[in-house]
Amino acid sequence: MSRSPARVFAALNAVRPPDEASPVLGKAVVLGGSVAGLLAARVLSDHAESVVVVDRDDLHATGVRPGVPQGTQLHALLPGGLHQLELLFPGFRAQAVARGAVEAPPAARRNYLDGRLKVVVPDDDDSLAGSRPLLEGLIRQRVLALPNVKTVTARATGLVIEGAVTTGVRCDTGGGPGIERGDLVVDAMGRSSRLSDWLEQSGWQRPVTRRMPVHLNYATAVFRRAGTDPDPAVVLALHSPGTAVDVAGAAYFAVEDGRWMAMMAGYGADRPGRTAEDFVRRLREQFPPEFGEVAANEMLGDVRTYGHADSRRREFHALTRLPAGLVSVGDAVASFNPVYGQGMTAAALHAACLSVYLRSGADLGAPARRFFALQKVVVDAAWSMSTSADLALPHVDGPYPRGYRLSRWVSRQIVAATVTDVAIARRFNEVVSMREHPRSLATPGVILGALRANRRAR
């Protein structure tokens, strides 16, 4: 790739849908109707005569889908993700707000580190707070309204590969096996994707899977919210690794239907918030006062818990033998520690990679190496952010990349400076929201600025 990863990353963030549809393939088949699959289908609708989304769930149903067990948990839509969704679906923000999502400009967000309130970056991009079912439901509605997109309720059971080209997928609709033919197959089956098995069973290479054990335990509870204009609307509070608390952090968002959605997380043997009493007590005792104010409201329903054993990535980009007509997106390629909120935004950037690939004169009779090379830039960026933070956790024991001690020291200086310095906080937020590449933080100017800010703070 001739351009640097940082330039590629910036270009992907600037990708816009074409003004007119320009089909380069007949039919595309997307396996999985979650966010990553829906966004891939949206991009494919501009480049395929027809798109079929295959999922075990009825995608026309509303509410939390059975195929998204973490759908009841708190989800963040980073400003970078909101930017991408607005490009793909003009008017998305206004529609979400009309359905009850809450706009969260910089002044309506608070961020704490070890109990210290961080500075507000007044020119930060806006965020949007809403439940996963609301956000995913709106994406699904917009995609399924496209005239060349349809759904099939079925369980995908394997690939159809003829020669060196993927030509379809085997499906079981409950009434017997069948085949859904396509010129391009997109794996969006999430962390539990079976694509690696299918490739190996068909005599192709299986991608290497890298894992970072994190053993995250988190819990989400919903509280009644009074008023229609919450301020603040989004609050996060993190505890640095190694501090003498058993809760890694907590957050709460204003969401639709007059509710607060609150989450807290711990690692390893720490499982905070498993009961309503424990959840409320910890919000009141271990976090800034506004958390206690939220916990004073009526809890609606039960506390929902979820476990995340590891971050993982499947290295499709490194395969030397790969059939043509096949790509993979979203958590099926890489899934990260969910406390960083990267999932939906990363999926949107994978869709941008697919758009660039299809507009670059892609040869669908050859392996999609150009796509996987673009996607690797996105995966590397998200992976480096999440795993560098995970490696600082006391219970995580490597593997440590070369130069980790120095990079970890630099990272601690930058994070500390975000508490008091607007310029450093601005640059940090652009990276965390996936609008800028992590390398933009590793410059002499940023590092020296962080050291000066921390000296002033002392």
Side-chain angles (χ1 to χ4, degrees), residues 1 8 317 353 368-378 380:
M1 189 174 299
V8 172
H317 67 275
C353 294
R369 301 195 186 282
R370 163 74 170 159
F371 167 80
F372 286 116
L374 288 169
Q375 187 185 60
K376 180 179 182 294
V377 175
V378 177
D380 283 348

Side-chain angles (χ1 to χ4, degrees), residues 74-400:
L74 184 71
H75 280 71
L77 177 59
L78 301 176
L82 178 57
H83 167 77
Q84 291 286 335
L85 291 179
E86 190 67 29
L87 291 178
L88 289 170
F89 309 106
F92 181 89
R93 180 207 303 253
Q95 279 189 288
V97 171
R99 295 186 180 195
V102 178
E103 291 183 289
R109 303 197 296 264
R110 290 183 190 168
N111 201 327
Y112 291 88
L113 178 63
D114 296 328
R116 300 174 64 198
L117 180 62
K118 288 188 175 186
V119 293
V120 173
V121 181
D123 54 346
D124 254 356
D125 292 328
D126 290 351
S127 186
L128 192 66
S131 71
R132 168 71 179 257
L134 182 146
L135 297 172
E136 182 179 327
L138 180 54
I139 294 170
R140 185 164 57 245
Q141 178 185 332
R142 294 288 296 263
V143 171
L144 299 189
L146 297 168
N148 60 340
V149 176
K150 72 171 187 176
T151 67
V152 171
T153 303
R155 183 174 65 91
T157 59
L159 296 175
V160 178
I161 301 176
E162 298 176 354
V165 180
T166 307
T167 59
V169 60
R170 294 184 177 86
C171 298
D172 185 350
T173 61
I179 292 177
E180 195 70 48
R181 295 282 180 180
D183 302 305
L184 178 67
V185 173
V186 179
D187 166 30
M189 293 184 289
R191 281 171 62 89
S192 60
S193 169
R194 301 180 300 283
L195 180 60
S196 298
D197 296 334
W198 296 347
L199 287 171
E200 189 173 50
Q201 291 163 7
S202 300
W204 295 86
Q205 280 183 296
R206 181 189 189 95
V208 170
T209 299
R210 292 172 57 188
R211 298 175 187 266
M212 172 68 74
V214 293
H215 303 295
L216 171 72
N217 311 298
Y218 58 107
T220 295
V222 176
F223 297 87
R224 191 179 302 282
R225 171 169 59 86
T228 58
D229 191 19
D231 184 22
V234 169
V235 181
L236 298 92
L238 296 179
H239 294 141
S240 297
T243 55
V245 291
D246 59 356
V247 186
Y252 70 83
F253 296 175
V255 299
E256 70 275 11
D257 299 328
R259 299 176 297 162
W260 295 111
M261 186 171 281
M263 178 274 287
M264 66 176 60
Y267 290 99
D270 298 328
R271 299 175 178 271
R274 284 183 292 175
T275 67
E277 294 76 13
D278 184 56
F279 198 101
V280 169
R281 178 184 63 80
R282 290 175 183 273
L283 287 184
R284 287 174 171 167
E285 296 178 359
Q286 296 181 274
F287 294 96
E290 51 261 60
F291 283 84
E293 294 170 7
V294 166
N297 292 284
E298 177 190 2
M299 184 181 289
L300 305 175
D302 299 324
V303 176
R304 304 291 185 94
T305 59
Y306 194 75
H308 179 90
D310 57 25
S311 299
R312 65 182 66 167
R313 62 182 295 183
R314 297 178 173 102
E315 300 195 332
F316 289 98
H317 67 275
L319 292 177
T320 58
R321 293 183 60 249
L322 180 72
L326 180 67
V327 301
S328 189
V329 296
D331 284 358
V333 177
S335 62
F336 314 97
N337 185 334
V339 300
Y340 308 123
Q342 298 169 311
M344 287 189 281
T345 302
L349 286 169
H350 290 190
C353 294
L354 186 57
S355 179
V356 171
Y357 168 67
L358 292 172
R359 281 192 267 185
S360 65
D363 178 5
L364 297 178
R369 301 195 186 282
R370 163 74 170 159
F371 167 80
F372 286 116
L374 288 169
Q375 187 185 60
K376 180 179 182 294
V377 175
V378 177
V379 173
D380 283 348
W383 184 263
S384 68
M385 284 189 285
S386 66
T387 58
S388 64
D390 290 338
L391 284 169
L393 299 170
H395 69 286
V396 175
D397 186 23
Y400 297 95

